[in-house]
Amino acid sequence: MSAQTDYVKWFRNSAPYINAHRGKTFVLMFGGEAVAHPNFANIVHDIALLNSLGVRLILVHGARPQIEQRVMDAGIESRYHNDLRVTDDIELRCVTDAAGSLRAHIEALLSMGVANSPMHGAAIRVCSGNYVTARPIGVVDGVDFRHTGMVRKIDASALQQQLNNQHIVILSPIGYSPTGEVFNLTAEDVAVHTAATLKADKLILFTCDEGLLNSDGQLIRQCEYRDVDSELIKQPLLKQDSIVQAVVEAGDIGINRCHMVSFQQDGALLQELFTRDGAGTLITQEHYEQFMTADIDDVGGLLAIIEPLEAKGVLLKRSRELLENEINHFKILVRDGMVVACAALYPYPEQRSGEIACVATHPDYRGADRAERLLELLEKEARQQGLDSVFVLTTQTAHWFQEQGYVECKIDDLPPAKKQLYNFQRNSKAFLKALN
């Protein structure tokens, strides 16, 4: 019964993510290693589920190990320069053979509809074509790359038409030139430029690891593109990782959200997309608005935000002296050196609970989910402190907190120390949120 209850709870909690992802465009890239892995069948099932939930999907596959095997079978010695294959006429036939076979294999998996399987009733329509225009790399460091190329253009209108027809698009690591030539491309190059051209909502890159690992081998769950650059300095070997290099390029050309997930871990894609903590690494663009822990120099900025709200009775009045004493409880959002939003967390460790207070945004910067992001940040911090719940007291913003998942509770439900300080004259309502 417990397992069933956990499943129902997880399914309900996934609803906001289902709503958020519906109608969005995702570009998924997996190398030939992923296609050859035993878990790839499960990834296909998860892709089918995303399609059923209304996500618009473009799949980009690689084929390096499959190409390498065909080159070896042909008795040819591969040549690489800067980790790129030098593709001559014979190797080009190996490239097209491997890419075509893999594409057919992926199409076959997506076409399954056997009863009692996750694919039953999916009726997925898959398409592929000459959507990628390429150009030759040419001669680099004196090396002629021959038929190895790079993306020149993505046919965005044609891809959008297929997506509008509810088709899943499969792109192979092959491009075509206006002169009728065929070029061997990297899947990373195709995926990054496709995501950028379509302004995709997400670029998801499958990797052999959990995601991006720090120098201690620990998973980095969320970071900005600049943090990836920092990891490259700390870990020079990462420069040899084509997936990490694709992340760097994605940041350079302006892709907002990029995910790294494991192709070996069953369910990693769904966990990354439909749970709060995810399973891999989310990389985002650097925000010119930064979250910071407040210090004594920020008291003036805090007062500028909260004093007008105190005058209206929205917030409980706090003196400068009190703010100075409690400044370490505050998180602030800073824009060009100006405090534009704030909120505070006061923990009650004995009751494993915490109060979130003084959630406020400068009137010129309301909107853009600033308060929501601050609230989420403090809830995350409360979890890290081992708290099971957080509560708020409010007189005029009850509906907003209810929209964020808070449920009205009784004053008697609050920690004893907080009940003793309750101001009956203000008659604030209490709202509680369980942190699960």
Side-chain angles (χ1 to χ4, degrees), residues 272-426:
E272 177 69 8
L273 294 175
F274 296 100
T275 65
R276 179 183 289 111
D277 294 328
T281 302
L282 167 63
I283 307 103
T284 60
Q285 290 288 352
E286 178 181 356
H287 291 285
Y288 52 92
E289 297 179 347
Q290 296 293 318
F291 290 113
M292 304 173 66
T293 299
D295 60 31
I296 198 71
D297 294 329
D298 299 310
V299 171
L302 287 171
L303 287 171
I305 293 177
I306 66 178
E307 282 181 340
L309 296 173
E310 290 172 350
K312 295 179 180 178
V314 177
L315 294 179
L316 184 66
K317 186 171 180 57
R318 290 171 172 82
S319 66
R320 174 180 283 271
E321 182 181 4
L322 181 62
L323 273 179
E324 291 176 352
N325 291 332
E326 299 181 346
I327 194 65
N328 61 308
H329 292 287
F330 279 81
K331 295 290 184 182
I332 56 176
L333 185 60
V334 178
R335 178 184 177 120
D336 295 333
M338 174 183 174
V339 178
V340 297
C342 65
L345 172 65
Y346 298 90
Y348 293 84
E350 292 185 3
Q351 287 75 39
R352 299 180 66 86
S353 186
E355 180 185 10
I356 290 180
C358 203
V359 181
T361 306
H362 191 283
D364 293 341
Y365 295 96
R366 287 173 186 159
D369 296 332
R370 291 180 175 90
E372 286 87 343
R373 286 188 284 145
L374 261 175
L375 190 63
E376 184 179 351
L377 178 67
L378 290 183
E379 290 171 0
K380 181 178 180 180
E381 183 172 309
R383 291 189 191 93
Q384 292 173 344
Q385 294 184 21
L387 306 183
D388 295 329
S389 64
V390 287
F391 66 89
V392 296
L393 294 173
T394 182
T395 56
Q396 300 182 29
T397 56
H399 281 193
W400 183 81
F401 281 107
Q402 287 176 308
E403 290 170 4
Q404 313 311 315
Y406 287 72
V407 179
E408 188 170 3
C409 65
K410 298 177 181 178
I411 302 302
D412 288 338
D413 295 329
L414 303 181
K418 186 62 185 178
K419 283 194 293 183
Q420 292 178 5
L421 298 174
Y422 181 75
N423 188 332
F424 286 93
Q425 187 174 356
R426 278 180 61 82

Side-chain angles (χ1 to χ4, degrees), residues 55-235:
V55 180
R56 296 151 58 93
L57 297 168
I58 294 180
L59 313 181
V60 181
H61 73 86
R64 175 170 282 195
Q66 291 81 2
I67 294 171
E68 191 64 30
Q69 184 61 53
R70 282 166 172 77
V71 169
M72 290 176 59
D73 293 342
I76 307 169
E77 184 177 350
S78 296
R79 291 180 59 209
Y80 288 91
H81 183 70
N82 293 336
D83 201 35
L84 287 176
R85 179 184 298 278
V86 178
T87 311
D88 61 20
D89 293 341
I90 299 177
E91 285 183 290
L92 183 60
R93 289 197 290 271
C94 297
V95 170
T96 55
D97 180 32
S101 297
L102 276 186
R103 186 183 69 243
H105 174 61
I106 297 168
E107 289 177 352
L109 291 175
L110 288 168
S111 301
M112 291 175 59
V114 180
N116 299 321
S117 79
M119 300 291 292
H120 182 59
I124 294 172
R125 294 293 172 262
V126 182
C127 71
S128 57
N130 59 337
Y131 302 117
V132 181
T133 301
R135 66 176 179 84
I137 288 179
V139 179
V140 179
D141 299 330
V143 177
D144 187 352
F145 278 89
R146 305 288 301 280
H147 300 290
T148 301
M150 55 197 307
V151 174
R152 179 179 176 183
K153 189 176 82 170
I154 303 293
D155 192 342
S157 60
L159 289 176
Q160 291 287 9
Q161 183 177 354
Q162 297 295 346
L163 295 174
N164 291 340
N165 290 333
Q166 300 181 341
H167 293 168
I168 292 179
V169 180
I170 298 179
L171 298 180
S172 297
I174 289 177
Y176 308 91
S177 74
T179 58
E181 295 176 274
V182 180
F183 290 101
N184 175 25
L185 310 176
T186 67
E188 292 84 358
D189 190 28
V190 175
V192 168
H193 281 86
T194 300
T197 301
L198 293 179
K199 294 181 173 56
D201 298 281
K202 291 183 184 293
L203 170 63
I204 301 173
L205 305 169
F206 284 89
T207 178
C208 59
D209 296 317
E210 291 180 87
L212 180 64
L213 306 181
N214 64 19
S215 55
D216 296 323
Q218 298 174 327
L219 176 65
I220 301 172
R221 293 197 174 274
Q222 184 169 347
C223 65
E224 296 175 351
Y225 285 107
R226 64 174 181 173
D227 299 316
V228 179
D229 295 332
S230 299
E231 287 299 322
L232 286 171
I233 296 173
K234 299 176 187 176
Q235 306 180 67

